Amino acid sequence: MLTSVSAIRHVPSLPMTNDPTAVEMVGVNKWYGTFHVLKNIDLTIQRGEKLVICGPSGSGKSTMIRCINRLEEHQQGRIVVDGIELTGDLKKINEIRRDVGMVFQHFNLFPHLTVLENLTLAPIWVRKMRRKEAEQVAMHYLDRVKIPDQAHKCPGQLSGGQQQRVAIARSLCMSPKIMLFDEPTSALDPEMVKEVLDTMVSLAEEGMTMLCVSHEMGFARQVADRVVFMDQGEIVEINTPAEFFSSPHHERSKLFLAQILH
Amino acid sequence: MLSDAKTRSIIIQGMLVTAVIAFAALLVSTTFANLKARGIPIGFDFLTMPSRIIISEAILTYKSRDPYFWAIVVGLANTVFISALVIFFSSVLGLVVGITRLSSNPLAAGTCRVWVEIARNSPPIVLLIFLYSLWWKVLPPVGEALNPLPGVYASMRGFVVPAISIDIGMTGALIILFALTLAALGYGLARSGRLPPLVVPAILAAGVVGLWLADIRFAVDFPVFTGSNFRGGSELTPELSTILVGLTIYTTGFVAEIVRGGVLSVGRGQWDAGHSLGLSRGKILRLVVIPQMLRVIVPPLNSQYINVVKNSTLAIAVGYPDFLAVMNTIISKSSHSIEGVFIILGAYLALNLTLSSAANWYNRRIAIVER
Ligand SMILES: Nc1ncnc2c1ncn2[C@@H]1O[C@H](COP(=O)(O)OP(=O)(O)OP(=O)(O)O)[C@@H](O)[C@H]1O
Ligand SMILES: [Mg+2]
């Protein structure tokens, strides 16, 4: 039973190596056909760091973070995640995906499975955990996102906020070292945004390495170490949240902030 | 009054029904009168008389001394046998072909696409006649039979495959029934989870012991090539092989398209979620995509299965005695054509309604799981 105890305890991104870098992107370029979505992206993320990425629609925010767990393929440049470089090597890709959790705008829960089954699927089939143990871990995380009583319902029976918290718990069940969030609150009704953000804040406080695409300024101010502003496939500005929101350096940042503040 | 939509529709429907009934009554009464005038008897008592027709091959044992009703059963068994095998193989192959069409490997995807296009665009009877003509042109004589899979031989004389025989006595069958009931009971109780823990294993153990006591002899008889012939195994004639292979190729094309549509109906977000959790492509298909697409594909799949039963009547093109062929012979021999036609319609209706209700039952079951 020792294993299950250690699995339940969330170990906040302990470095496997001495390398303090979680993600490194160097000169990353990506095209959809002739359309240049990512232009010379250089970005280094330290372990335990929290990054908020914002920018206008279509600026390539989703594409950039989806490159980190290879949901999208980049065509040029280097992406190193947790010391492993992303190439066509399927084994390495799977290794990285096991350690990088992702939460989507539309939850993407498995509708044919119960909440508990959603949470235990990957631990059982990827981590080869025994069902009992996986369920214990799952209940632990459902507890953490404050919906242990919904374990046996189907996702369709939950509210949007609850579904998103299940999605977060589902990722956490794999004990990821890095979490990616792609606009986790933008499909939610306003009254449910807070419950999801609270979950994310507590995760941040535990030291998780997080990359969040989000326009929630309050959240960014509260947890972000840096804010990354993207426009037209480029990283235009990287700044501390305090400075970015009060006195952004770049013209395009100012324009964008003026728009979202209305 | 006639301007009221409801009243008007009732009046129109009433007139229609009356017309149909009147027409049917006219048809039946004239037929009966005509048959009587010509001295042709009508009724089902001919069924118990010896048929003296010849059925060239059959799954069940048949001798020409057997009565008509047994000939009918034998024909029906042939049709059910063909349909069941074609449905099974085209489902399995269709799943593989449909999924492979979506693969990123251009050669594999292209091959499957060619298969689908050929199957969907050729009349099945042409496919059957073409395949039938190949037996003697492409396949070697028995002496040089091809051996594509262990235990499977193909030659001019058709396929030879391993024979599977299950041998149980009457008492054995009863014990199995009892054991299965117990096992089902145990399973049901286990799921409801309201039992002291030892009861379920005890019931399951009783079931297993029952199966052991039943003394089932399950034997697989592999064909052995003796130089000029085969010993053991089951021989499938070229006619049966053609109809099985031909209809399977044909139906697979349609099943593959349904499967492809089903896979595409599951959104990209599900793949993203699966990949981001580290699941491989195969596992995402098996655990996430296929379970979800089943509820989409069961209804169209069911109509393909019904088509298989209907297409099995094409066996007549290669001279295999399916139900329709047997009924044709029976009708011309006994001259009970009216009764014969009713038996034919009734049998196909029964087969297809059985398939539909099975599909409906399955659909309801998976729908409940989703809630
Ligand atoms: N599969 C694709 N094929 C072609 N173009 C694509 C594809 N996916 C995204 N794009 C384009 O790439 C650009 C960047 O898309 P991306 O989804 O990364 O933007 P985003 O910053 O996340 O925007 P949003 O805030 O609307 O989510 C967009 O212009 C989009 O139209
Ligand atoms: Mg996006």
Side-chain angles (χ1 to χ4, degrees):
Chain A
M1 279 292 99
L2 260 178
T3 48
S4 68
V5 171
S6 65
I8 285 178
R9 264 296 196 66
H10 183 245
V11 187
S13 16
L14 273 184
M16 295 274 289
T17 56
N18 294 329
D19 184 6
T21 311
V23 180
E24 188 179 20
M25 301 175 95
V26 183
V28 172
N29 278 286
K30 177 173 174 62
W31 290 263
Y32 282 123
T34 56
F35 178 60
H36 202 168
V37 245
L38 295 181
K39 301 172 187 160
N40 284 317
I41 301 290
D42 290 312
L43 186 64
T44 305
I45 300 144
Q46 306 298 317
R47 289 184 194 278
E49 201 179 8
K50 287 104 191 107
L51 233 65
V52 167
I53 301 156
C54 60
S57 179
S59 56
K61 308 174 297 281
S62 301
T63 309
M64 185 177 82
I65 67 165
R66 288 164 62 89
C67 280
I68 293 172
N69 61 353
R70 195 71 167 193
L71 291 184
E72 302 288 349
E73 210 174 301
H74 61 285
Q75 277 113 29
Q76 230 177 55
R78 260 161 51 88
I79 301 180
V80 182
V81 182
D82 200 30
I84 304 168
E85 177 167 2
L86 274 170
T87 55
D89 188 346
L90 278 176
K91 239 173 128 184
K92 285 187 177 164
I93 293 173
N94 279 329
E95 211 171 310
I96 287 172
R97 283 176 177 164
R98 254 173 279 169
D99 289 342
V100 178
M102 185 157 193
V103 174
F104 303 88
Q105 182 173 1
H106 297 288
F107 329 134
N108 298 353
L109 293 174
F110 305 129
H112 60 299
L113 301 176
T114 64
V115 166
L116 192 64
E117 288 166 339
N118 264 277
L119 266 63
T120 54
L121 190 76
I124 289 173
W125 290 94
V126 180
R127 293 248 189 258
K128 310 288 177 207
M129 224 183 253
R130 282 178 300 117
R131 176 172 299 276
K132 265 265 162 55
E133 195 183 324
E135 283 177 355
Q136 252 175 309
V137 175
M139 286 313 294
H140 167 80
Y141 284 113
L142 278 182
D143 232 17
R144 272 212 39 192
V145 300
K146 304 198 174 65
I147 33 176
D149 43 331
Q150 314 285 351
H152 297 285
K153 288 195 182 165
C154 283
Q157 295 170 300
L158 305 185
S159 76
Q162 290 173 325
Q163 290 192 42
Q164 195 59 297
R165 284 183 284 152
V166 170
I168 295 173
R170 178 175 69 178
S171 287
L172 293 179
C173 281
M174 290 293 283
S175 324
K177 296 182 183 148
I178 301 166
M179 284 286 289
L180 310 173
F181 293 84
D182 191 359
E183 305 203 38
T185 57
S186 51
L188 296 177
D189 292 336
E191 73 269 20
M192 294 169 187
V193 169
K194 188 173 177 297
E195 62 188 54
V196 171
L197 288 181
D198 285 348
T199 309
M200 291 168 64
V201 169
S202 77
L203 198 59
E205 283 165 354
E206 283 184 20
M208 175 67 80
T209 309
M210 289 165 67
L211 274 85
C212 314
V213 175
S214 175
H215 294 160
E216 295 291 339
M217 290 201 338
F219 172 76
R221 279 180 201 275
Q222 192 180 348
V223 306
D225 297 309
R226 290 186 291 167
V227 173
V228 176
F229 173 69
M230 286 184 75
D231 192 15
Q232 292 175 11
E234 292 171 308
I235 293 182
V236 175
E237 179 169 346
I238 302 183
N239 212 332
T240 60
E243 208 170 290
F244 180 77
F245 290 116
S246 55
S247 52
H249 294 167
H250 209 282
E251 271 316 304
R252 283 195 268 177
S253 317
K254 283 179 195 158
L255 209 67
F256 171 72
L257 284 171
Q259 274 165 356
I260 64 163
L261 286 176
H262 286 245
Chain B
M1 190 188 86
L2 275 180
S3 61
D4 180 33
K6 213 168 173 184
T7 329
R8 196 156 63 177
S9 105
I10 288 176
I11 290 174
I12 292 176
Q13 286 183 47
M15 280 172 9
L16 215 72
V17 170
T18 319
V20 169
I21 290 177
F23 182 68
L26 186 72
L27 215 64
V28 171
S29 64
T30 4
T31 315
F32 270 84
N34 284 347
L35 289 173
K36 202 173 243 162
R38 284 192 230 147
I40 301 172
I42 201 160
F44 287 96
D45 18 333
F46 74 99
L47 288 179
T48 50
M49 295 192 285
S51 66
R52 309 211 184 285
I53 63 167
I54 288 166
I55 300 178
S56 56
E57 56 176 309
I59 307 306
L60 304 175
T61 40
Y62 173 80
K63 294 179 286 304
S64 65
R65 271 180 279 114
D66 290 333
Y68 277 112
F69 82 81
W70 186 247
I72 294 175
V73 170
V74 166
L76 196 58
N78 280 357
T79 285
V80 170
F81 175 73
I82 295 175
S83 306
L85 283 185
V86 170
I87 285 174
F88 175 76
F89 284 115
S90 58
S91 300
V92 174
L93 284 172
L95 188 68
V96 174
V97 173
I99 289 173
T100 312
R101 257 202 83 174
L102 295 167
S103 119
S104 51
N105 178 335
L107 185 67
T111 312
C112 290
R113 175 157 188 194
V114 170
W115 182 332
V116 169
E117 293 304 334
I118 288 178
R120 292 208 313 163
N121 293 307
S122 48
I125 196 163
V126 174
L127 206 61
L128 289 179
I129 292 172
F130 173 69
L131 280 177
Y132 193 52
S133 70
L134 287 187
W135 281 111
W136 291 274
K137 299 205 176 90
V138 172
L139 290 173
V142 179
E144 298 144 34
L146 301 173
N147 190 357
L149 295 169
V152 177
Y153 294 88
S155 73
M156 271 179 166
R157 280 213 244 141
F159 281 120
V160 181
V161 297
I164 297 168
S165 63
I166 302 169
D167 199 15
I168 37 169
M170 190 65 152
T171 35
L174 282 177
I175 295 176
I176 286 181
L177 206 66
F178 183 63
L180 282 179
T181 318
L182 274 186
L185 206 69
Y187 180 70
L189 288 174
R191 293 210 58 166
S192 72
R194 263 174 302 156
L195 268 187
L198 267 181
V199 175
V200 175
I203 292 178
L204 286 180
V208 172
V209 171
L211 282 180
W212 176 67
L213 279 180
D215 190 26
I216 311 173
R217 270 168 229 198
F218 181 82
V220 180
D221 182 17
F222 275 87
V224 181
F225 190 53
T226 59
S228 61
N229 222 328
F230 289 97
R231 189 154 37 76
S234 295
E235 293 199 24
L236 308 183
T237 59
E239 289 76 28
L240 179 58
S241 308
T242 302
I243 185 90
L244 287 178
V245 172
L247 280 187
T248 300
I249 291 177
Y250 180 72
T251 313
T252 295
F254 290 86
V255 173
E257 276 302 274
I258 293 172
V259 167
R260 190 171 74 104
V263 171
L264 292 177
S265 77
V266 176
R268 172 173 149 190
Q270 296 288 305
W271 288 93
D272 284 349
H275 282 310
S276 74
L277 289 166
L279 290 162
S280 65
R281 204 183 126 81
K283 288 206 179 103
I284 297 175
L285 263 175
R286 184 153 61 93
L287 301 167
V288 176
V289 175
I290 291 179
Q292 287 184 65
M293 82 174 186
L294 277 183
R295 56 196 102 226
V296 183
I297 69 172
V298 167
L301 218 46
N302 181 44
S303 47
Q304 282 313 317
Y305 292 166
I306 288 175
N307 277 342
V308 169
V309 174
K310 293 196 278 188
N311 287 338
S312 71
T313 55
L314 294 172
I316 222 163
V318 294
Y320 180 80
D322 77 320
F323 179 61
L324 186 64
V326 170
M327 286 310 294
N328 259 334
T329 319
I330 288 176
I331 286 173
S332 55
K333 184 98 180 192
S334 69
S335 31
H336 283 272
S337 55
I338 305 277
E339 300 89 323
V341 168
F342 274 110
I343 293 174
I344 293 172
L345 290 177
Y348 284 111
L349 196 66
L351 281 181
N352 287 337
L353 287 181
T354 309
L355 275 176
S356 297
S357 50
N360 282 339
W361 170 81
Y362 183 73
N363 240 2
R364 259 200 316 279
R365 226 189 64 141
I366 50 181
I368 289 168
V369 174
E370 189 184 29
R371 261 158 296 212

mmCIF file of all heavy atoms in Angstrom, chain A residues 148-180:
data_model
loop_
_atom_site.group_PDB
_atom_site.id
_atom_site.type_symbol
_atom_site.label_atom_id
_atom_site.label_comp_id
_atom_site.label_asym_id
_atom_site.label_seq_id
_atom_site.Cartn_x
_atom_site.Cartn_y
_atom_site.Cartn_z
ATOM 1 N N PRO A 148 -16.334 15.077 -4.794
ATOM 2 C CA PRO A 148 -16.243 13.626 -4.630
ATOM 3 C C PRO A 148 -17.603 12.939 -4.783
ATOM 4 O O PRO A 148 -17.665 11.770 -5.157
ATOM 5 C CB PRO A 148 -15.716 13.458 -3.206
ATOM 6 C CG PRO A 148 -16.063 14.728 -2.513
ATOM 7 C CD PRO A 148 -16.029 15.798 -3.554
ATOM 8 N N ASP A 149 -18.687 13.682 -4.543
ATOM 9 C CA ASP A 149 -20.011 13.053 -4.597
ATOM 10 C C ASP A 149 -20.505 12.842 -6.027
ATOM 11 O O ASP A 149 -21.537 12.228 -6.233
ATOM 12 C CB ASP A 149 -21.018 13.905 -3.805
ATOM 13 C CG ASP A 149 -20.846 15.391 -4.089
ATOM 14 O OD1 ASP A 149 -19.703 15.799 -4.392
ATOM 15 O OD2 ASP A 149 -21.837 16.133 -4.024
ATOM 16 N N GLN A 150 -19.765 13.339 -7.031
ATOM 17 C CA GLN A 150 -20.227 13.176 -8.413
ATOM 18 C C GLN A 150 -19.533 11.998 -9.110
ATOM 19 O O GLN A 150 -19.723 11.800 -10.307
ATOM 20 C CB GLN A 150 -19.948 14.449 -9.232
ATOM 21 C CG GLN A 150 -20.323 15.731 -8.561
ATOM 22 C CD GLN A 150 -21.822 15.948 -8.572
ATOM 23 O OE1 GLN A 150 -22.546 15.220 -9.217
ATOM 24 N NE2 GLN A 150 -22.287 16.938 -7.831
ATOM 25 N N ALA A 151 -18.748 11.226 -8.375
ATOM 26 C CA ALA A 151 -17.876 10.224 -9.001
ATOM 27 C C ALA A 151 -18.608 9.272 -9.941
ATOM 28 O O ALA A 151 -18.054 8.861 -10.950
ATOM 29 C CB ALA A 151 -17.148 9.428 -7.925
ATOM 30 N N HIS A 152 -19.840 8.927 -9.609
ATOM 31 C CA HIS A 152 -20.497 7.895 -10.418
ATOM 32 C C HIS A 152 -21.478 8.457 -11.426
ATOM 33 O O HIS A 152 -22.227 7.714 -12.051
ATOM 34 C CB HIS A 152 -21.154 6.867 -9.499
ATOM 35 C CG HIS A 152 -20.130 6.163 -8.661
ATOM 36 N ND1 HIS A 152 -19.298 5.190 -9.175
ATOM 37 C CD2 HIS A 152 -19.747 6.342 -7.381
ATOM 38 C CE1 HIS A 152 -18.464 4.784 -8.241
ATOM 39 N NE2 HIS A 152 -18.709 5.474 -7.127
ATOM 40 N N LYS A 153 -21.462 9.771 -11.597
ATOM 41 C CA LYS A 153 -22.317 10.365 -12.625
ATOM 42 C C LYS A 153 -21.574 10.396 -13.949
ATOM 43 O O LYS A 153 -20.362 10.210 -14.018
ATOM 44 C CB LYS A 153 -22.692 11.789 -12.226
ATOM 45 C CG LYS A 153 -23.681 11.843 -11.085
ATOM 46 C CD LYS A 153 -24.276 13.232 -10.990
ATOM 47 C CE LYS A 153 -25.228 13.329 -9.817
ATOM 48 N NZ LYS A 153 -25.533 14.735 -9.516
ATOM 49 N N CYS A 154 -22.329 10.645 -15.029
ATOM 50 C CA CYS A 154 -21.693 10.838 -16.322
ATOM 51 C C CYS A 154 -21.424 12.324 -16.508
ATOM 52 O O CYS A 154 -22.140 13.163 -15.957
ATOM 53 C CB CYS A 154 -22.590 10.316 -17.434
ATOM 54 S SG CYS A 154 -22.545 8.532 -17.529
ATOM 55 N N PRO A 155 -20.391 12.682 -17.277
ATOM 56 C CA PRO A 155 -20.035 14.089 -17.450
ATOM 57 C C PRO A 155 -21.221 14.958 -17.872
ATOM 58 O O PRO A 155 -21.361 16.082 -17.409
ATOM 59 C CB PRO A 155 -18.975 14.052 -18.546
ATOM 60 C CG PRO A 155 -18.363 12.716 -18.430
ATOM 61 C CD PRO A 155 -19.448 11.786 -17.964
ATOM 62 N N GLY A 156 -22.082 14.402 -18.742
ATOM 63 C CA GLY A 156 -23.211 15.182 -19.238
ATOM 64 C C GLY A 156 -24.159 15.650 -18.147
ATOM 65 O O GLY A 156 -24.953 16.559 -18.358
ATOM 66 N N GLN A 157 -24.078 15.024 -16.978
ATOM 67 C CA GLN A 157 -24.990 15.396 -15.898
ATOM 68 C C GLN A 157 -24.433 16.503 -15.010
ATOM 69 O O GLN A 157 -25.094 16.927 -14.071
ATOM 70 C CB GLN A 157 -25.285 14.171 -15.036
ATOM 71 C CG GLN A 157 -26.044 13.093 -15.775
ATOM 72 C CD GLN A 157 -26.109 11.811 -14.984
ATOM 73 O OE1 GLN A 157 -25.081 11.223 -14.658
ATOM 74 N NE2 GLN A 157 -27.304 11.379 -14.652
ATOM 75 N N LEU A 158 -23.205 16.932 -15.299
ATOM 76 C CA LEU A 158 -22.582 17.940 -14.438
ATOM 77 C C LEU A 158 -22.669 19.323 -15.074
ATOM 78 O O LEU A 158 -22.828 19.466 -16.285
ATOM 79 C CB LEU A 158 -21.108 17.597 -14.210
ATOM 80 C CG LEU A 158 -20.784 16.215 -13.665
ATOM 81 C CD1 LEU A 158 -19.292 16.106 -13.387
ATOM 82 C CD2 LEU A 158 -21.579 15.910 -12.423
ATOM 83 N N SER A 159 -22.517 20.343 -14.249
ATOM 84 C CA SER A 159 -22.461 21.712 -14.769
ATOM 85 C C SER A 159 -21.105 21.935 -15.429
ATOM 86 O O SER A 159 -20.165 21.163 -15.213
ATOM 87 C CB SER A 159 -22.643 22.699 -13.628
ATOM 88 O OG SER A 159 -21.455 22.774 -12.874
ATOM 89 N N GLY A 160 -21.009 22.997 -16.216
ATOM 90 C CA GLY A 160 -19.751 23.281 -16.903
ATOM 91 C C GLY A 160 -18.580 23.408 -15.948
ATOM 92 O O GLY A 160 -17.507 22.852 -16.184
ATOM 93 N N GLY A 161 -18.798 24.123 -14.856
ATOM 94 C CA GLY A 161 -17.722 24.317 -13.890
ATOM 95 C C GLY A 161 -17.272 22.996 -13.284
ATOM 96 O O GLY A 161 -16.070 22.747 -13.127
ATOM 97 N N GLN A 162 -18.263 22.143 -12.986
ATOM 98 C CA GLN A 162 -17.911 20.836 -12.427
ATOM 99 C C GLN A 162 -17.158 20.007 -13.452
ATOM 100 O O GLN A 162 -16.174 19.338 -13.128
ATOM 101 C CB GLN A 162 -19.187 20.102 -11.989
ATOM 102 C CG GLN A 162 -19.850 20.723 -10.776
ATOM 103 C CD GLN A 162 -21.191 20.075 -10.468
ATOM 104 O OE1 GLN A 162 -21.919 19.683 -11.377
ATOM 105 N NE2 GLN A 162 -21.520 19.967 -9.189
ATOM 106 N N GLN A 163 -17.612 20.070 -14.718
ATOM 107 C CA GLN A 163 -16.932 19.293 -15.761
ATOM 108 C C GLN A 163 -15.478 19.727 -15.896
ATOM 109 O O GLN A 163 -14.581 18.896 -16.033
ATOM 110 C CB GLN A 163 -17.640 19.476 -17.105
ATOM 111 C CG GLN A 163 -18.996 18.818 -17.153
ATOM 112 C CD GLN A 163 -19.536 18.753 -18.562
ATOM 113 O OE1 GLN A 163 -18.824 18.465 -19.507
ATOM 114 N NE2 GLN A 163 -20.821 19.020 -18.705
ATOM 115 N N GLN A 164 -15.247 21.047 -15.840
ATOM 116 C CA GLN A 164 -13.881 21.509 -15.998
ATOM 117 C C GLN A 164 -13.031 21.072 -14.804
ATOM 118 O O GLN A 164 -11.858 20.738 -14.962
ATOM 119 C CB GLN A 164 -13.843 23.030 -16.185
ATOM 120 C CG GLN A 164 -12.529 23.571 -16.698
ATOM 121 C CD GLN A 164 -12.126 22.992 -18.055
ATOM 122 O OE1 GLN A 164 -11.902 21.786 -18.187
ATOM 123 N NE2 GLN A 164 -12.036 23.838 -19.061
ATOM 124 N N ARG A 165 -13.638 21.045 -13.610
ATOM 125 C CA ARG A 165 -12.853 20.588 -12.462
ATOM 126 C C ARG A 165 -12.549 19.097 -12.574
ATOM 127 O O ARG A 165 -11.471 18.641 -12.186
ATOM 128 C CB ARG A 165 -13.597 20.908 -11.160
ATOM 129 C CG ARG A 165 -13.473 22.401 -10.829
ATOM 130 C CD ARG A 165 -14.116 22.730 -9.523
ATOM 131 N NE ARG A 165 -15.564 22.775 -9.632
ATOM 132 C CZ ARG A 165 -16.400 22.519 -8.618
ATOM 133 N NH1 ARG A 165 -15.911 22.197 -7.431
ATOM 134 N NH2 ARG A 165 -17.693 22.594 -8.792
ATOM 135 N N VAL A 166 -13.501 18.325 -13.141
ATOM 136 C CA VAL A 166 -13.227 16.906 -13.392
ATOM 137 C C VAL A 166 -12.063 16.785 -14.373
ATOM 138 O O VAL A 166 -11.158 15.967 -14.192
ATOM 139 C CB VAL A 166 -14.471 16.189 -13.961
ATOM 140 C CG1 VAL A 166 -14.098 14.791 -14.434
ATOM 141 C CG2 VAL A 166 -15.569 16.117 -12.917
ATOM 142 N N ALA A 167 -12.067 17.639 -15.405
ATOM 143 C CA ALA A 167 -10.997 17.584 -16.402
ATOM 144 C C ALA A 167 -9.641 17.873 -15.751
ATOM 145 O O ALA A 167 -8.640 17.233 -16.073
ATOM 146 C CB ALA A 167 -11.272 18.566 -17.533
ATOM 147 N N ILE A 168 -9.628 18.832 -14.825
ATOM 148 C CA ILE A 168 -8.371 19.129 -14.126
ATOM 149 C C ILE A 168 -7.948 17.922 -13.294
ATOM 150 O O ILE A 168 -6.794 17.479 -13.335
ATOM 151 C CB ILE A 168 -8.525 20.385 -13.239
ATOM 152 C CG1 ILE A 168 -8.769 21.616 -14.125
ATOM 153 C CG2 ILE A 168 -7.281 20.594 -12.372
ATOM 154 C CD1 ILE A 168 -9.099 22.888 -13.358
ATOM 155 N N ALA A 169 -8.919 17.339 -12.580
ATOM 156 C CA ALA A 169 -8.604 16.166 -11.755
ATOM 157 C C ALA A 169 -8.102 15.019 -12.626
ATOM 158 O O ALA A 169 -7.181 14.293 -12.256
ATOM 159 C CB ALA A 169 -9.840 15.733 -10.977
ATOM 160 N N ARG A 170 -8.706 14.878 -13.821
ATOM 161 C CA ARG A 170 -8.286 13.797 -14.708
ATOM 162 C C ARG A 170 -6.813 13.938 -15.076
ATOM 163 O O ARG A 170 -6.067 12.954 -15.098
ATOM 164 C CB ARG A 170 -9.145 13.805 -15.975
ATOM 165 C CG ARG A 170 -8.746 12.754 -16.983
ATOM 166 C CD ARG A 170 -9.665 12.704 -18.165
ATOM 167 N NE ARG A 170 -9.561 13.877 -19.015
ATOM 168 C CZ ARG A 170 -10.245 14.046 -20.141
ATOM 169 N NH1 ARG A 170 -11.104 13.121 -20.524
ATOM 170 N NH2 ARG A 170 -10.099 15.135 -20.863
ATOM 171 N N SER A 171 -6.383 15.177 -15.347
ATOM 172 C CA SER A 171 -4.971 15.389 -15.651
ATOM 173 C C SER A 171 -4.094 15.117 -14.441
ATOM 174 O O SER A 171 -3.041 14.505 -14.552
ATOM 175 C CB SER A 171 -4.740 16.828 -16.106
ATOM 176 O OG SER A 171 -5.238 17.001 -17.397
ATOM 177 N N LEU A 172 -4.562 15.580 -13.270
ATOM 178 C CA LEU A 172 -3.739 15.429 -12.066
ATOM 179 C C LEU A 172 -3.526 13.965 -11.701
ATOM 180 O O LEU A 172 -2.519 13.615 -11.101
ATOM 181 C CB LEU A 172 -4.381 16.176 -10.896
ATOM 182 C CG LEU A 172 -4.406 17.695 -11.042
ATOM 183 C CD1 LEU A 172 -5.077 18.330 -9.840
ATOM 184 C CD2 LEU A 172 -2.992 18.246 -11.221
ATOM 185 N N CYS A 173 -4.483 13.106 -12.065
ATOM 186 C CA CYS A 173 -4.349 11.679 -11.748
ATOM 187 C C CYS A 173 -3.107 11.068 -12.382
ATOM 188 O O CYS A 173 -2.654 10.015 -11.967
ATOM 189 C CB CYS A 173 -5.571 10.912 -12.224
ATOM 190 S SG CYS A 173 -6.959 11.086 -11.113
ATOM 191 N N MET A 174 -2.567 11.694 -13.410
ATOM 192 C CA MET A 174 -1.352 11.173 -14.031
ATOM 193 C C MET A 174 -0.107 11.753 -13.365
ATOM 194 O O MET A 174 1.000 11.558 -13.865
ATOM 195 C CB MET A 174 -1.344 11.496 -15.525
ATOM 196 C CG MET A 174 -2.367 10.716 -16.336
ATOM 197 S SD MET A 174 -2.005 8.960 -16.394
ATOM 198 C CE MET A 174 -0.681 8.947 -17.592
ATOM 199 N N SER A 175 -0.281 12.485 -12.257
ATOM 200 C CA SER A 175 0.819 13.172 -11.570
ATOM 201 C C SER A 175 1.729 13.911 -12.537
ATOM 202 O O SER A 175 2.927 13.608 -12.626
ATOM 203 C CB SER A 175 1.682 12.199 -10.757
ATOM 204 O OG SER A 175 0.898 11.206 -10.195
ATOM 205 N N PRO A 176 1.187 14.866 -13.286
ATOM 206 C CA PRO A 176 2.008 15.559 -14.277
ATOM 207 C C PRO A 176 3.009 16.500 -13.618
ATOM 208 O O PRO A 176 2.819 16.935 -12.492
ATOM 209 C CB PRO A 176 0.981 16.356 -15.081
ATOM 210 C CG PRO A 176 -0.117 16.614 -14.122
ATOM 211 C CD PRO A 176 -0.178 15.418 -13.223
ATOM 212 N N LYS A 177 4.069 16.798 -14.351
ATOM 213 C CA LYS A 177 5.046 17.765 -13.855
ATOM 214 C C LYS A 177 4.733 19.152 -14.376
ATOM 215 O O LYS A 177 5.170 20.144 -13.809
ATOM 216 C CB LYS A 177 6.444 17.363 -14.319
ATOM 217 C CG LYS A 177 6.888 16.037 -13.749
ATOM 218 C CD LYS A 177 8.288 15.730 -14.200
ATOM 219 C CE LYS A 177 8.721 14.379 -13.695
ATOM 220 N NZ LYS A 177 9.642 13.742 -14.626
ATOM 221 N N ILE A 178 4.031 19.189 -15.498
ATOM 222 C CA ILE A 178 3.695 20.473 -16.124
ATOM 223 C C ILE A 178 2.213 20.414 -16.494
ATOM 224 O O ILE A 178 1.726 19.378 -16.939
ATOM 225 C CB ILE A 178 4.516 20.677 -17.412
ATOM 226 C CG1 ILE A 178 6.016 20.653 -17.101
ATOM 227 C CG2 ILE A 178 4.121 21.970 -18.116
ATOM 228 C CD1 ILE A 178 6.886 20.501 -18.320
ATOM 229 N N MET A 179 1.506 21.528 -16.269
ATOM 230 C CA MET A 179 0.104 21.557 -16.683
ATOM 231 C C MET A 179 -0.104 22.661 -17.716
ATOM 232 O O MET A 179 0.350 23.795 -17.542
ATOM 233 C CB MET A 179 -0.799 21.836 -15.477
ATOM 234 C CG MET A 179 -0.999 20.646 -14.555
ATOM 235 S SD MET A 179 -2.087 19.373 -15.238
ATOM 236 C CE MET A 179 -3.670 20.186 -15.152
ATOM 237 N N LEU A 180 -0.810 22.315 -18.799
ATOM 238 C CA LEU A 180 -1.160 23.290 -19.823
ATOM 239 C C LEU A 180 -2.657 23.561 -19.725
ATOM 240 O O LEU A 180 -3.449 22.632 -19.603
ATOM 241 C CB LEU A 180 -0.836 22.736 -21.215
ATOM 242 C CG LEU A 180 0.559 22.155 -21.425
ATOM 243 C CD1 LEU A 180 0.655 21.506 -22.801
ATOM 244 C CD2 LEU A 180 1.610 23.247 -21.276
#
